[in-house]
């Protein structure tokens, strides 16, 4: 069993999570054989360690973490790698991968450009 | 003169700003007759009031603020409207508009989905 974890910042306002929940559903619909899950750095749950514990119990062998952040600052470049180092030590049988932030993707950037130009 | 202000959160790490700077350039290239500018809520400059002061001095008559946020939490739903209320009072000759967060746009969401599904 493989999993994709959409890793987002989290916020106090529950309305903040709406697009992340839609993204999870769209990604899950596109990859029915993969467990697509949301996880948050702070304010919202599950945190990454709790989610990985659950996925490990379900027999997950590969977890790909996608940072659903626009910019790559301390959370993506420092906090996430530290969490992943700790998880790799705790779950040596699971293969962990992680990608760049979604905001660094050229396709996402062009879609944001297309949205911005219509706002004048 | 019209302006689009791409309003982002800001971060301590200067690398965080890279995709926002690319978005500003792409949007500016698509709209050469519009002033496309970046502004930040915290950690980075210019703040929105300082940028609007500069645009007002340049004779700007319409400013469209686009929140370059993925989720709409307190920053987009509470902080930004308060800043805009204050700016509308200070600059009655300027027409201010603001749109929803880029992360709520269907095209941006589909582009993020396309990125996520390739990360397995």
């Amino acid at each position: 069993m493989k999993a994709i974890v959409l890793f987002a910042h989290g916020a106090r306002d529950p309305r903040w999570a709406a697009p992340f929940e839609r993204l999870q559903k769209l990604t899950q619909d596109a990859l029915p054989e993969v467990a697509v899950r949301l996880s948050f750095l702070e304010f919202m749950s599950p945190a990454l360690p709790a989610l990985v514990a659950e996925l490990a119990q379900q027999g997950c062998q590969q977890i790909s973490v996608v940072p659903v952040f626009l910019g790559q600052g301390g959370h993506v470049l420092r906090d996430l790698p530290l969490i992943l180092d700790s998880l790799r030590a705790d779950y040596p049988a699971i293969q962990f991968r992680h990608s760049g932030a979604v905001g660094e993707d050229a396709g996402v950037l062009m879609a944001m450009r297309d949205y911005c130009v219509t706002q004048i």
Side-chain angles (χ1 to χ4, degrees), chain A residues 38-110:
Chain A
L38 280 176
S39 175
F40 300 95
L41 181 66
E42 53 190 18
F43 304 122
M44 291 172 166
S45 62
L48 203 43
L51 176 59
V52 168
E54 186 190 321
L55 290 169
Q57 206 162 25
Q58 294 169 9
C60 190
Q61 294 157 320
Q62 182 191 302
I63 298 177
S64 300
V65 178
V66 183
V68 189
F69 285 72
L70 285 175
Q72 301 198 133
H75 296 320
V76 174
L77 298 175
R78 186 195 58 226
D79 300 340
L80 178 58
L82 285 174
I83 297 170
L84 287 174
D85 284 348
S86 169
L87 290 171
R88 285 189 177 99
D90 291 344
Y91 301 94
I94 298 179
Q95 187 192 357
F96 289 94
R97 305 173 175 192
H98 82 284
S99 58
V102 298
E104 297 278 344
D105 176 66
V108 173
L109 204 59
M110 294 309 282

